[in-house]
């Protein structure tokens, strides 16, 4: 997501429990619920344009960005913050548009290419050609049970869905115009897409390519900026450049039809709540679908409209002025909304009545974080001054003792700890490094990967 005020990138991790920010001086990691900064890394030179997390562990994929990029924009750096260094890199002949991670794959999007690498040794496994893809549209299922990749096809509005487990691609003619946004659910069984017109969102069965839902955001054109399924694929959230987040129910064919395969059974009270969940609203002219022949019935009057909406407060009227991403929170029927002007929202919606979402919490994460960081730097400066004074006093005492004929034996510390960016005991400091045992990989004609030595073990298990 493009940014302003020094913010170059904002994106959620795989389970939507955290989000990462790339800035013109480094990157930061925030926890969503409760909201707080969990980690920060500042570099002396250069910005970070893409920060892709691997769940909550210390492995990230970084791409340089901004006016003074930390790394070349045609390289993907695999960063291990436990070791505070890069443990691997992938080089390409053109700019990297997006990066996706899972525990066994690294996916890199260029404008006309998709590269899939094995995570452990950065060995190239697959590569596909796509139509022009300047946004780097790509979706990768995070579940360890299935491996599904969705990306634009070779024709406008078409999708290519790679089912790696059964080694079979699915081609879907999703829209007549150019794709603008896409998302997979947790296990890769459902795929949601939107075109550049931004009026319709379609949900597909990723294995068969069958259309399951057609959801209408509105009548006016808009840029769809993010799409997200909830954990069991019963709800879908969509944000646009109109400053509105729409929540759609996927219970159109009866409660439970949207549940992802392999999901745990719900408690009885949750099943009862889902049974009474509101259906998506329809046009007041929808009765004509029972009168007119199907070939003469406009799709507008048969489309499903959102159950609930959240309007970003004070959203500017200029299109594309502020961009937002959304995801479902850890609590039932809650949304997390993040804008690239440094604002964080948590809101809730009524699954039965629908309507306007209720704002639960709000934070200005860039401003608050900068104030906290400046305060921490000031405390560190005072500690350094006190340490210097103590060392000078000790040296003077030893010199005076030696001058009087005595002996001075000072026990100097063998290691001086610097202030860490992440809190002591945080998940970033606890998890062992991933991508272990990386070795030099063979070069591929359009890309080159280099793996740096690492003393770590194997990729981390799910936290």
């Amino acid at each position: 997501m493009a940014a302003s005020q020094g913010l170059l990138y904002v994106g959620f991790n795989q389970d939507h429990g955290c989000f990462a920010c790339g800035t013109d001086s480094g990157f930061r990691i925030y926890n969503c619920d409760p909201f707080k900064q969990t980690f920060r890394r500042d570099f002396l030179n250069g910005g970070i344009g893409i920060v892709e997390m691997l769940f909550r562990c210390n492995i990230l994929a970084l791409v340089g960005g901004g006016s003074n990029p930390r790394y070349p924009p045609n390289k993907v750096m695999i960063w291990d913050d436990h070791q505070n260094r890069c443990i691997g890199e992938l080089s390409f002949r053109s700019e990297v548009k997006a990066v996706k991670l899972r525990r066994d794959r690294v996916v890199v999007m260029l404008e006309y290419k998709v590269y899939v690498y094995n995570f452990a040794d950065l060995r190239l496994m697959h590569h596909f050609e796509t139509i022009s893809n300047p946004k780097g549209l790509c979706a990768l299922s995070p579940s360890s049970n299935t491996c599904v990749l969705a990306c634009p096809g070779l024709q406008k509005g078409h999708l290519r869905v790679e089912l790696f487990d059964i080694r079979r691609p699915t081609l879907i003619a999703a829209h007549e115009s150019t794709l603008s946004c896409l998302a997979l659910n947790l296990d890769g069984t459902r795929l949601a897409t939107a075109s550049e017109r931004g009026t319709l969102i379609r949900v597909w069965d990723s294995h068969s390519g069958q259309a399951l839902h057609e959801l209408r955001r509105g009548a006016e054109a808009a840029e769809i900026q993010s799409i997200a399924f909830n954990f069991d694929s019963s709800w879908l959230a969509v944000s646009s450049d109109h400053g509105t987040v729409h929540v759609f129910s996927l219970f159109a064919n009866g409660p439970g039809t949207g549940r992802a395969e392999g999901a745990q059974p719900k408690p009885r009270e949750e099943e009862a709540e889902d049974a009474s969940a509101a259906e998506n609203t329809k046009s007041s002219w929808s009765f004509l679908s029972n009168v007119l022949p199907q070939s003469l019935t406009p799709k507008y009057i048969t489309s499903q409209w959102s159950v609930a909406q959240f309007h970003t407060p004070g959203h500017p009227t200029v299109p594309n002025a502020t961009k937002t991403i959304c995801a479902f929170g850890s609590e039932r029927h809650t949304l997390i909304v993040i804008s690239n002007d440094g604002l964080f929202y948590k809101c809730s919606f009524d699954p039965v009545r629908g309507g306007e979402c209720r704002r639960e919490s709000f934070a200005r994460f860039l401003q608050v974080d900068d104030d906290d960081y400046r305060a921490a730097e000031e405390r560190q400066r005072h500690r350094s001054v006190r340490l210097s004074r103590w060392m000078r006093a000790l040296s003077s005492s030893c010199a005076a003792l030696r001058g009087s004929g005595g002996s001075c034996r000072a026990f100097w510390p063998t290691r001086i700890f610097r202030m860490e960016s992440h809190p002591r005991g945080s998940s970033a400091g606890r998890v062992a490094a991933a991508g272990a045992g990386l070795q030099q990989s063979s070069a591929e004609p359009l890309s080159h990967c280099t793996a740096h030595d690492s003393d770590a073990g194997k990729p981390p298990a799910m936290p």
Side-chain angles (χ1 to χ4, degrees), residues 47 61 85 131 250 275 339 366 402 444:
R85 68 185 182 97
I131 195 171
L250 299 184
S339 66
L366 286 182
R402 285 194 297 267
E444 199 273 335

Side-chain angles (χ1 to χ4, degrees), residues 275-317:
S276 59
E279 294 185 357
N280 296 319
T281 58
K282 295 184 179 180
S283 169
S284 58
W285 298 95
S286 60
F287 70 91
L288 292 177
S289 61
N290 299 323
V291 179
L292 298 175
Q294 186 176 1
S295 59
L296 299 178
T297 304
K299 286 188 175 181
Y300 179 86
I301 67 175
T302 60
S303 296
Q304 303 176 45
W305 298 66
S306 60
V307 172
Q309 307 82 33
F310 175 73
H311 296 83
T312 307
H315 186 84
T317 57

Side-chain angles (χ1 to χ4, degrees), residues 149-167:
L149 169 69
C151 63
L154 292 172
Q155 300 181 51
K156 182 174 65 173
H158 286 219
L159 280 166
R160 179 187 181 113
V161 182
E162 284 292 330
L163 310 172
F164 291 112
D165 296 324
I166 60 177
R167 299 184 180 181

Side-chain angles (χ1 to χ4, degrees), residues 22-85:
T23 70
D24 53 10
S25 61
F27 64 89
R28 310 173 191 183
I29 307 297
Y30 296 88
N31 190 70
C32 290
D33 194 11
F35 173 78
K36 63 178 179 179
Q37 177 185 294
T38 61
F39 181 77
R40 174 169 180 166
R41 178 69 67 189
D42 283 285
F43 300 116
L44 296 178
N45 54 337
I48 301 297
I50 296 176
V51 186
E52 179 68 11
M53 300 178 65
L54 181 60
F55 291 94
R56 292 174 178 264
C57 78
N58 49 290
I59 301 298
L60 304 101
L62 305 179
V63 179
S67 58
N68 181 29
R70 167 75 175 180
Y71 305 109
N74 66 325
K75 286 188 176 183
V76 177
M77 312 301 294
I78 308 300
W79 177 271
D80 180 0
D81 212 83
H82 187 70
Q83 303 182 52
N84 192 23
R85 68 185 182 97

Side-chain angles (χ1 to χ4, degrees), residues 89-164:
E89 68 179 64
L90 299 167
S91 300
F92 304 90
R93 295 182 181 178
S94 60
E95 180 182 353
V96 175
K97 300 297 183 180
V99 183
K100 300 295 180 183
L101 296 181
R102 50 179 280 150
R103 293 183 179 86
D104 55 354
R105 297 287 190 276
V106 178
V107 178
V108 181
M109 298 294 300
L110 309 182
E111 184 171 356
Y112 294 96
K113 288 274 191 177
V114 183
Y115 292 97
V116 182
Y117 296 88
N118 183 49
F119 190 87
D121 55 8
L122 297 183
R123 174 176 54 87
L124 181 67
M125 302 181 68
H126 310 278
H127 62 92
F128 318 108
E129 293 186 358
T130 70
I131 195 171
S132 177
N133 184 18
K135 291 185 176 181
L137 298 180
C138 176
L140 183 65
S141 63
S143 173
S144 57
N145 297 326
T146 58
C147 186
V148 181
L149 169 69
C151 63
L154 292 172
Q155 300 181 51
K156 182 174 65 173
H158 286 219
L159 280 166
R160 179 187 181 113
V161 182
E162 284 292 330
L163 310 172
F164 291 112

